[in-house]
Amino acid sequence: MLHVGCGPRATGRLPKQFTTAEWHEVRLDIDPGVDPDIIGTITDMTAVDQRSVDALWSSHNLEHVFTHEVPVALREFYRVLKPGGTAHVQVPDLTVPARQVMRGRPDDVIYQSPAGPITALDMLYGLGVAIAKGQHYMAHHTGFTKQTMTAKFSDVGFVNVRVEAKDRSLWATAQRPDL
């Protein structure tokens, strides 16, 4: 299983389905400081062989690329998956901060994360405290609803695309078709 945008090593960062003995995590990240197995970006994973992984997990990374780069990233996900492999992707649900903004309260805390309090502005534009520290790759450049997430995966050729809204996020699963 390729863990795209893995971040620092920590227990509990993977969905339970990937914590069993049958899975081996290969960690890919843009930041060499988090000690990934592979240094790369979600738009250029050329260090990963095509059709080499059974599954891919990416949590809160796709929103960090520009809208026109989303298909590039999804094509990279598709490229590295084996036929029949599944991509599991989590992104912020734009409807959550949109409701907060519509109430005129974009600076109010929506929830507490391990990184600290998260506001609507953080969900829309990226974690402000990290960006202020110079981690500019933490800025958000696009966003998704259930409908747009489904369409983006389908447009690249994924099948069995399912997107569920839960915990202020969209959880997508999409399969590379069998040959």
Side-chain angles (χ1 to χ4, degrees):
M1 181 271 304
L2 182 64
H3 187 173
V4 176
C6 60
R9 289 185 193 274
T11 305
R13 293 187 69 98
L14 295 175
K16 284 185 180 183
Q17 69 204 57
F18 295 125
T19 60
T20 63
E22 74 177 286
W23 293 104
H24 169 74
E25 176 189 16
V26 177
R27 301 172 71 251
L28 180 142
D29 203 282
I30 192 172
D31 182 1
V34 301
D35 192 31
D37 300 309
I38 301 167
I39 297 170
T41 70
I42 66 173
T43 57
D44 181 4
M45 299 190 305
T46 52
V48 181
D49 291 337
Q50 69 180 23
R51 299 180 180 174
S52 64
V53 297
D54 295 300
L56 179 143
W57 167 245
S58 181
S59 178
H60 291 277
N61 296 293
L62 199 55
E63 66 272 15
H64 295 279
V65 300
F66 290 102
T67 303
H68 69 276
E69 294 175 307
V70 170
V72 175
L74 293 179
R75 280 193 295 273
E76 278 292 272
F77 292 2
Y78 188 97
R79 183 186 68 76
V80 302
L81 282 168
K82 293 177 181 176
T86 305
H88 302 264
V89 178
Q90 183 183 13
V91 297
D93 181 350
L94 275 184
T95 64
V96 174
R99 280 189 230 110
Q100 194 75 2
V101 170
M102 292 301 292
R103 285 184 222 139
R105 304 180 71 108
D107 292 319
D108 284 3
V109 174
I110 295 176
Y111 69 99
Q112 293 289 331
S113 80
I118 304 297
T119 68
L121 293 175
D122 291 318
M123 290 182 75
L124 291 168
Y125 301 112
L127 184 58
V129 295
I131 297 166
K133 291 178 184 176
Q135 296 173 329
H136 298 269
Y137 53 83
M138 294 298 288
H140 293 182
H141 298 292
T142 195
F144 304 92
T145 63
K146 284 176 73 170
Q147 294 80 7
T148 61
M149 190 72 154
T150 301
K152 299 283 184 192
F153 273 98
S154 297
D155 289 349
V156 170
F158 282 96
V159 296
N160 302 323
V161 179
R162 292 183 313 268
V163 180
E164 179 183 352
K166 65 178 182 177
D167 301 327
R168 299 165 304 275
S169 295
L170 297 175
W171 296 69
T173 58
Q175 189 175 29
R176 180 179 173 150
D178 284 327
L179 294 178

